[in-house]
Amino acid sequence: DTAVSQTPKYLVTQMGNDKSIKCEQNLGHDTMYWYKQDSKKFLKIMFSYNNKELIINETVPNRFSPKSPDKAHLNLHINSLELGDSAVYFCASSQNSGGAKETQYFGPGTRLLVL
Amino acid sequence: DQQVKQNSPSLSVQEGRISILNCDYTNSMFDYFLWYKKYPAEGPTFLISISSIKDKNEDGRFTVFLNKSAKHLSLHIVPSQPGDSAVYFCAASASGTYKYIFGTGTRLKVLA
């Protein structure tokens, strides 16, 4: 009964490949997020969706494309993977509109290693 | 442009003593602050938050203090327990935005 789940937990792939990471939340939340934690441990927002609509789109290469089939799922597809994409990717969700004072609940992370 | 800074990458404290974790920010528009705790191979979990209209918020062993004039907040853990050993992230947000800005974390080790 994990609140925010991500698959896969680990992903090792070659440069140039295309891969997807899936996220699901069973909290009934309206807003979902993708964060990237790089080698320097910065945890940075990439995207946010509220009720399947994109509300945050930070400066992220367009090789990254989020997709929200319904408000319980937010998947991240990455085209033409590069070495610099190696990081831990965290999915998160919050209850309502994603406002600044909402608590976000994080998934366990997906460790991506691009060789 | 690091708007939220945690200048101490690590901290060791004896069990039973106080742990004080610090966080500084530069953006005066931030009006909500949070602390998250992270164990290895897990996602961050929410610990405690504070709005800029307050200068202190307490929840059990955890207290967050906010000094707006100094743009500084701190997390106090009293008494510290070995299970508190984790990485602690400070985060900040501004009304009207939809995102948190995180610090780089402080690794706390509580020694038994």
Side-chain angles (χ1 to χ4, degrees):
Chain A
D1 61 343
T2 306
V4 182
S5 59
Q6 295 179 228
T7 52
K9 197 161 185 180
Y10 298 95
L11 184 54
V12 181
T13 188
Q14 297 287 330
M15 242 182 2
N17 284 350
D18 303 338
K19 290 293 178 186
S20 290
I21 307 172
K22 295 186 177 182
C23 178
E24 177 180 0
Q25 54 94 5
N26 62 7
L27 296 166
H29 287 172
D30 288 340
T31 304
M32 296 184 72
Y33 310 80
W34 277 111
Y35 285 84
K36 178 181 180 181
Q37 186 180 31
D38 60 21
S39 57
K40 294 182 181 175
K41 306 302 182 188
F42 283 108
L43 196 61
K44 285 188 181 174
I45 183 79
M46 300 173 68
F47 301 102
S48 175
Y49 271 73
N50 175 257
N51 275 317
K52 305 195 298 173
E53 281 196 36
L54 184 67
I55 56 171
I56 295 176
N57 185 353
E58 291 292 286
T59 309
V60 175
N62 58 15
R63 298 182 294 104
F64 289 79
S65 52
K67 284 196 172 43
S68 182
D70 55 60
K71 71 175 193 178
H73 295 84
L74 181 61
N75 304 323
L76 183 65
H77 188 76
I78 316 171
N79 288 328
S80 303
L81 277 155
E82 300 178 356
L83 295 176
D85 298 332
S86 296
V88 183
Y89 292 84
F90 289 99
C91 177
S93 72
S94 65
Q95 188 163 7
N96 294 316
S97 59
K101 293 182 172 58
E102 286 187 0
T103 299
Q104 295 181 16
Y105 297 84
F106 283 80
T110 294
R111 283 139 192 86
L112 171 66
L113 178 61
V114 182
L115 302 174
Chain B
D1 177 20
Q2 213 179 320
Q3 298 183 66
V4 178
K5 298 177 186 177
Q6 294 176 256
N7 292 318
S8 298
S10 64
L11 174 68
S12 290
V13 170
Q14 287 290 334
E15 182 179 5
R17 306 295 284 264
I18 184 171
S19 295
I20 300 176
L21 296 99
N22 294 305
C23 178
D24 297 295
Y25 61 96
T26 56
N27 188 341
S28 57
M29 299 302 291
F30 288 148
D31 58 1
Y32 193 66
F33 305 89
L34 310 94
W35 285 94
Y36 276 79
K37 175 178 175 179
K38 185 183 178 304
Y39 292 118
E42 293 184 12
T45 54
F46 171 72
L47 195 57
I48 193 168
S49 62
I50 188 167
S51 168
S52 61
I53 61 172
K54 294 185 171 182
D55 53 19
K56 176 183 172 182
N57 189 24
E58 196 170 347
D59 183 1
R61 297 186 296 115
F62 302 91
T63 303
V64 57
F65 294 92
L66 175 63
N67 182 335
K68 288 189 292 293
S69 60
K71 294 193 178 70
H72 177 85
L73 65 155
S74 60
L75 174 69
H76 292 211
I77 307 173
V78 181
S80 302
Q81 298 172 355
D84 296 329
S85 297
V87 177
Y88 289 79
F89 288 95
C90 167
S93 65
S95 289
T97 71
Y98 293 90
K99 58 186 181 183
Y100 297 167
I101 306 297
F102 280 87
T104 50
T106 297
R107 183 178 301 278
L108 173 66
K109 191 169 183 181
V110 180
L111 307 167

